[in-house]
């Protein structure tokens, strides 16, 4: 006889995910305590993280200065690469040995 699929309320899911996030306990341990499969709780936790991703942290003043320095360097290097250069002078070829008629 096939097993019936269990359904969980949104409140139960939210509380289960909250237990994982706030306690720092492993998903498998929390799932075991709640009597659900760890893959199920892992899916709920991943879905929550995708929906509630934190915005990027703003740069510190030191990081802003470093980014500006790097952007300036990139701009300078691109200009150097775009500037045509004359080829480096080639050293003269050694003299060819003279061939005498040997016939």
């Amino acid at each position: 006889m096939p097993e019936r699929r269990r359904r969980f309320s949104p409140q139960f899911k939210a509380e289960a995910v909250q237990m994982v996030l706030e306690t720092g306990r492993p998903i498998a341990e929390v799932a075991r305590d709640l009597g659900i499969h760890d893959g199920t709780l892992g899916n709920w936790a991943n879905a929550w993280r995708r929906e509630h991703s934190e915005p990027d942290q703003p740069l510190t003043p030191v990081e802003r200065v470093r980014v500006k320095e790097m952007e300036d360097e990139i701009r300078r290097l691109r200009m150097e690469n775009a500037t045509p250069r004359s080829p480096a002078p080639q050293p003269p070829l050694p003299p060819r040995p003279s061939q005498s008629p040997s016939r």
Side-chain angles (χ1 to χ4, degrees):
M1 185 169 185
E3 268 188 53
R4 281 194 47 154
R5 191 175 194 143
R6 294 173 25 186
R7 296 203 180 267
F8 301 97
S9 70
Q11 181 180 353
F12 179 81
K13 293 177 182 180
E15 289 174 359
V17 169
Q18 185 177 7
M19 286 176 67
V20 171
L21 298 175
E22 289 183 356
T23 63
R25 292 170 44 205
I27 288 175
E29 185 179 315
V30 174
R32 194 176 324 110
D33 292 348
L34 296 173
I36 59 176
H37 192 271
D38 60 338
T40 302
L41 181 54
N43 289 339
W44 297 345
N46 287 335
W48 188 90
R49 287 182 181 117
R50 277 193 305 273
E51 293 170 6
H52 298 90
S53 63
E54 294 181 22
D56 292 337
Q57 298 293 326
L59 296 176
T60 66
V62 172
E63 290 171 328
R64 274 192 220 112
V65 169
R66 182 69 180 131
V67 168
K68 182 171 181 346
E69 289 173 353
M70 294 169 79
E71 288 172 343
D72 291 344
E73 183 176 4
I74 290 170
R75 193 174 301 109
R76 181 185 59 80
L77 292 171
R78 284 184 177 159
M79 287 179 67
E80 283 180 13
N81 286 336
T83 305
R85 298 184 193 136
S86 59
Q90 296 291 327
L93 295 174
R96 295 175 91 180
S98 63
Q99 293 183 354
S100 59
S102 57
R103 292 187 219 191

